[in-house]
Amino acid sequence: MRSKLRHAIIMAGGKGSRLAPYTTVLPKPLMPVEDQPILEVVIRQLSHFGFRHVTISVGHLGELIMAFFGNGQRWQVNIEYAIEDTPQGTVGSLRNIDMPAEPFLVMNGDVLTDLDYEALFRDHVRSDSLLTIAGCRRRIDVSLGVLEYGADRTLTGFREKPQIDFDVSMGIYVMSPAIRSVFPSRGPYGFDQLVNDLLAADLPPRIFPFDGLWLDIGRKEDYESAAETFRAQRHRFLRPPKKGSPGVVGSRNGALSL
């Protein structure tokens, strides 16, 4: 099933405080990976997967984002902007956007991944969920000896420097229009609050498991690692067009030009 409207909303209004001092002069989505901003990689990928209407929610240094991307014609997408004058939380600014009448993609503007956005979108459209969350497994190394014991304080287990696996949100979602009924009318509203409100209302989100490349860019060391990974594995972000898919922006020899 193909939705009549492919609309993506990109949340790009945060200050990126953990990436200071870089983000004192550049909004985080404009941080470069090799020869282009992170957000340009995202928009090229969205265009490749058939998202032709993009709304970017901007705040901190938003004028730089608007100046760089303009109306989006260079990438064959129509870009509009929603200006976040005061912090609204990670999803609260969606209230300032005219939400589409069809399911829509929502994502952070600083995500680098080789996720198939179309597959995620189609998976949501086939469901009856209000929210689908792209999830990726992460492994955490615990550098200490972990004690396990019961109420009587008798040791029941010991693990030396274990590895713990978690499934984490990638900051990429698909929402159905009816989700707006869950949002409070005012005040900051975080994604964690949205998920808990959906669970409380017996409207549990669905998960779209993903085991490919996903680069978190929250901290300075994460950004530097992501930039290096992008340089080394650039080809993983360059996908050839699918059979029967719409034309690819900036295609060169059948591959997406980034």
Side-chain angles (χ1 to χ4, degrees), residues 21-218:
Y22 298 143
T23 47
T24 58
V25 293
L26 277 180
K28 188 160 63 166
L30 286 187
M31 292 290 293
V33 284
E34 206 167 29
D35 57 353
Q36 62 200 288
I38 295 167
L39 186 52
E40 183 176 3
V41 176
V42 170
I43 288 176
R44 287 181 183 275
Q45 291 176 323
L46 290 174
S47 180
H48 168 66
F49 285 114
F51 292 85
R52 296 288 177 245
H53 188 183
V54 176
T55 300
I56 305 178
S57 178
V58 297
H60 174 66
L61 299 176
E63 64 278 4
L64 297 181
I65 294 175
M66 292 187 286
F68 185 92
F69 291 102
N71 60 14
Q73 286 185 354
R74 177 182 171 189
W75 300 276
Q76 295 183 10
V77 296
N78 174 41
I79 296 180
E80 297 178 342
Y81 299 92
I83 299 175
E84 187 178 335
D85 294 322
T86 57
Q88 295 293 314
T90 47
V91 294
S93 61
L94 288 173
R95 289 174 301 209
N96 303 327
I97 297 171
D98 186 13
M99 290 189 188
E102 300 280 340
F104 53 96
L105 185 83
V106 179
M107 65 180 295
N108 297 337
D110 58 353
V111 174
L112 279 177
T113 178
D114 62 351
L115 172 71
D116 185 331
Y117 291 100
E118 182 178 13
L120 167 64
F121 188 84
R122 287 176 178 270
D123 183 78
H124 177 85
V125 169
R126 287 193 295 264
S127 76
D128 58 359
S129 179
L130 294 182
L131 172 66
T132 298
I133 305 170
C136 189
R137 178 144 293 200
R138 278 288 186 263
R139 175 162 289 175
I140 305 298
D141 293 321
V142 180
S143 61
L144 304 170
V146 176
L147 304 174
E148 298 173 352
Y149 58 93
D152 63 355
R153 292 183 284 169
T154 300
L155 189 71
T156 58
F158 179 83
R159 291 180 293 160
E160 177 65 25
K161 299 179 181 177
Q163 292 180 323
I164 303 176
D165 292 332
F166 295 95
D167 289 295
V168 300
S169 170
M170 296 170 60
I172 306 172
Y173 329 104
V174 182
M175 300 181 181
S176 292
I179 201 169
R180 72 186 72 192
S181 65
V182 180
F183 281 57
S185 59
R186 62 178 64 87
Y189 195 51
F191 179 73
D192 57 331
Q193 294 172 286
L194 171 62
V195 170
N196 286 325
D197 287 347
L198 288 170
L199 291 172
D202 198 23
L203 297 168
R206 295 178 71 254
I207 305 301
F208 183 84
F210 175 68
D211 60 1
L213 185 63
W214 173 63
L215 306 177
D216 183 27
I217 311 177

